[in-house]
Every structure is written in C-alpha cells, then in structure tokens.
Amino acid sequence: MSNLLCQVSVAVAVTLAVSCVSTPQLTLAKSGFPAGIDMLHLAELPVTMTDQGGTLLLSDSPEMVEDDGIMYQDTVSGDIRLFFHHVNATRELKKIVVLLVNDSDTATDVIVNQYGLGGPGLDYLAIGKTAEMNYLNQAENELIEVPAKGTALLEPILNKTVVASDELVNGIYDFQSKIPVKVVIMMLPVDADPAIFAATASVLPNTNHRLRGTFPGRDRLLVPSQVYNPAQDGVMAITLADNKLDTYVSGIDATDGSKTLNYGNYGVMYKLFLPTAFEKNYAVYLNPRGGAYAGGMKVKYRHQEEYTIGTPADKLFFGTKKDNEVTHLGDYAGGQSLWLTFSPPGASSLPVKIVLTPAPATKKK
C-alpha cells in the first residue's frame, strides 16, 4: 500500500525591521554545534500554535496487550489519522489488525493518503523510527472499498503478519471517509477472522498511562511570531511536546466517554515554518530532552527542495548520554522559505527542542 503526500500551502506575512548588529562570536565543537551552550536555559523563539486538519485516533493503551480483544475503537468520518502502538505481551503468536466497519446502508470508499508501518519486531526504537520515516516518504493514494453493512481491513498485510511474543507493531495512517466508519484496533489469534472476531470481542481495559482516545486536530501548525535573525539573536530554541510551552492535546476515550490527554502528542503532525532574516545563514538542530529518541524530519526548502532526514541520521537513536546531544538538520540561507514536518515517534521520549544557531562561515547552503 502506498499513498499521496498531501502538500499544504500556508501564506505567512512577516514585517521585518533589520538592525545592523555584529554577529555573536561562537566557539564550535567538532560537531559544528556551538560549544558550551546551556540547553536548559536557551532563549525561546515565540511561536503561535494552531491545531487543525481533522481527527486523531490514538491507540497505545494497553501498550502491552495481555489478552485478545479491542484496544480502541471509535466511529469517525472526514480526515482521520490513526496512530497505533501495541506489543503482544502474551506467550502466544498473535496478529494486530485494524478493521473498518460500515454500519450504514451505503457503501463507502476510504482513501488512504499517507501511511507508515513499522514492525513487528523487538527493537522498539527502530520500529518507531521506521514507521515515521515510511510515513514521511509516502507519495501515493490507496482506495479501500467498505461495503454497506460490511467490513474491510485498513492494512490487509497485517492480517497475514504474525506478531510473536514481546514484538511491537506501530502504524501511522491518514485516511478519509465521507460517511462514518468504525475503526477497530484489535489483537486476535493468528487464525481468527477479523470481522467475526470483532463482532463479539470486548474492549480491553485502559491502563494507568491512558494513551488512547479521539482528539480534534491531527496537525499542529507552528509559526514564530518574530523573525529569527542569526546575527542578532544568536542561539534560540523552540521547545515541543513538553506540556508547558507546547501543551498536550486533550480528547475523549470513546470506549467509556472519559476525558483523556495525549502525553507526548503521539500521532500529532507538527508543521513548523521558520521565517528568518536575509543577512546571515543559519543552522538547525534537534535536541532530545526526555531520553532516547529515534525519528525522522521532513524538510521543504525554498518551496521546491524536499527530503527526509533521520533524527539522528548517522545512528539509530540519541539522547541518552548528555543534555547537549544534537543532530544536524541542515544549514540554510537566511530569508528563504523553510518548513519542518515531524511527529513524536513511537517508543521515543519527549520533549524535544528545535535549536537555531548562526551557521559556521564555512558551511553555506
């Protein structure tokens, strides 16, 4: 299955007053990042955040699934993103599937716009990174026909995929449906028919982490309220998914009607626009603040260059050794359009900082 990467164009008007100031003098470490920077006390670049883009379904509780049953389900329509992240915590072989149920008298077409799938496997960080990188790199659509009073599988390959004990499956799926469909995420025996199983399966109890629910706004648009000027501002940061500067999204657990909070904003797609001054190039880094981190970042530069970077690109994960670990997202010309798109990857720890610095004189892009 493959999908079409949807482009969203956002116009941002910025009034820029340029001051003639000297460039801050920075000592660089071997990595190219300024040495001696206190990550805990960086000045924050203020941003305006807007939630948009349909509905997010999050299924991550129970994360360790100890019984057959339904981990999450809800009936939705319109633009949907499903993020599911589950481990087979039994001693038996299982499968983890997503079933679409159409209870109406009218057949419907579900269009999958973009998706990423990771696992099954035992390296949870690698699986989370694979799901995100696959999602960011998709470029085709897929049509799923769901008959009236019938069912269809969101990802048919999962019905043939055996999930061994302690293995994780992580999926990110964007899809559309004009009429309401029930989305059912469940674990079941490998030889069970998903439609027959779903008809009698029970919803598994939530856990203390309560990472499941339905949330309005699957995307978060971030636009700084000031232009970043490397020559004047030096090193600055944008902190994401800390529930202080960037709050967690709230929603409803449709299985019992209770309020729920998405700790970490898993499944939320961040789309960050960076307005910058013309007179100096700048560098962009990612700094994990919560621990091990393994993901990806989509970069769109000058409206035409588009590519995906592993975060980090040179190894599986980072963030466990010291506070100032960074991965380089590139050096860019000031005053040129730059968009960064990413989502908190499954199995990784949050928050993170996007760090902006003046670019070294020898590195220009």
Side-chain angles (χ1 to χ4, degrees):
M1 180 184 292
S2 53
N3 332 314
L4 177 65
L5 174 63
C6 298
Q7 304 283 339
V8 178
S9 178
V10 179
V12 179
V14 179
T15 301
L16 173 60
V18 178
S19 301
C20 294
V21 295
S22 60
T23 302
Q25 297 301 307
L26 299 172
T27 301
L28 302 180
K30 291 183 179 179
S31 64
F33 187 77
I37 296 298
D38 184 356
M39 289 292 193
L40 296 177
H41 299 95
L42 285 180
E44 287 282 332
L45 185 65
V47 297
T48 299
M49 301 182 183
T50 305
D51 291 336
Q52 59 181 24
T55 302
L56 170 65
L57 299 179
L58 173 64
S59 184
D60 192 16
S61 180
E63 181 181 32
M64 310 299 293
V65 187
E66 299 178 348
D67 296 293
D68 294 335
I70 296 169
M71 286 83 84
Y72 190 64
Q73 63 180 5
D74 196 6
T75 300
V76 290
S77 61
D79 296 325
I80 310 300
R81 175 174 302 125
L82 169 64
F83 181 98
F84 62 94
H85 186 272
H86 295 288
V87 173
N88 173 12
T90 75
R91 298 296 97 189
E92 302 172 355
L93 300 178
K94 298 292 182 182
K95 59 185 178 183
I96 294 172
V97 305
V98 181
L99 187 70
L100 304 174
V101 182
N102 180 7
D103 289 326
S104 77
D105 295 323
T106 304
T108 187
D109 290 334
V110 171
I111 301 173
V112 180
N113 311 110
Q114 195 166 352
Y115 85 102
L117 182 63
L122 297 174
D123 191 333
Y124 299 170
L125 285 170
I127 290 168
K129 187 171 188 175
T130 296
E132 178 155 79
M133 292 290 284
N134 286 343
Y135 174 91
L136 292 172
N137 283 317
Q138 288 305 312
E140 295 181 9
N141 280 340
E142 179 76 14
L143 181 67
I144 302 172
E145 297 180 1
V146 190
K149 303 295 184 181
T151 66
L153 292 165
L154 178 64
E155 178 54 271
I157 196 172
L158 288 176
N159 195 40
K160 302 177 182 179
T161 301
V162 175
V163 183
S165 180
D166 295 326
E167 287 189 334
L168 168 70
V169 178
N170 181 204
I172 313 165
Y173 285 75
D174 287 1
F175 57 94
Q176 300 171 319
S177 178
K178 292 182 179 179
I179 69 173
V181 293
K182 182 187 292 184
V183 182
V184 186
I185 304 95
M186 53 191 177
M187 189 173 79
L188 61 163
V190 293
D191 58 351
D193 179 277
I196 295 174
F197 179 85
T200 59
S202 299
V203 175
L204 298 175
N206 210 335
T207 63
N208 292 335
H209 297 292
R210 295 184 58 79
L211 271 176
R212 72 183 185 191
T214 302
F215 303 86
R218 63 182 188 175
D219 298 330
R220 180 161 285 184
L221 176 67
L222 299 93
V223 179
S225 54
Q226 73 180 57
V227 171
Y228 172 66
N229 186 335
Q232 176 178 336
D233 298 327
V235 182
M236 299 192 75
I238 301 172
T239 300
L240 302 175
D242 67 336
N243 204 30
K244 295 177 182 177
L245 297 171
D246 177 32
T247 57
Y248 298 151
V249 295
S250 59
I252 298 294
D253 183 341
T255 65
D256 61 13
S258 63
K259 294 181 180 180
T260 187
L261 196 64
N262 183 351
Y263 293 93
N265 282 348
Y266 294 100
V268 174
M269 198 60 54
Y270 284 82
K271 299 180 179 183
L272 170 64
F273 176 74
L274 286 173
T276 53
F278 280 93
E279 59 262 36
K280 184 172 175 60
N281 291 356
Y282 65 102
V284 185
Y285 297 86
L286 182 72
N287 168 236
R289 303 304 311 156
Y293 188 95
M297 183 78 67
K298 174 75 77 173
V299 178
K300 188 174 184 181
Y301 181 49
R302 289 174 171 159
H303 303 290
Q304 56 187 3
E305 300 176 34
E306 193 167 6
Y307 48 90
T308 302
I309 302 171
T311 51
D314 58 344
K315 52 190 173 184
L316 173 59
F317 68 93
F318 69 139
T320 60
K321 295 181 179 180
K322 51 188 177 181
D323 287 341
N324 62 346
E325 282 190 86
V326 295
T327 190
H328 187 214
L329 302 180
D331 297 335
Y332 301 96
Q336 301 297 317
S337 173
L338 179 66
W339 285 90
L340 302 177
T341 300
F342 88 107
S343 184
S348 288
S349 299
L350 283 297
V352 296
K353 287 181 183 286
I354 302 292
V355 183
L356 311 176
T357 78
T362 55
K363 289 186 178 182
K364 294 184 179 181
K365 187 172 183 177

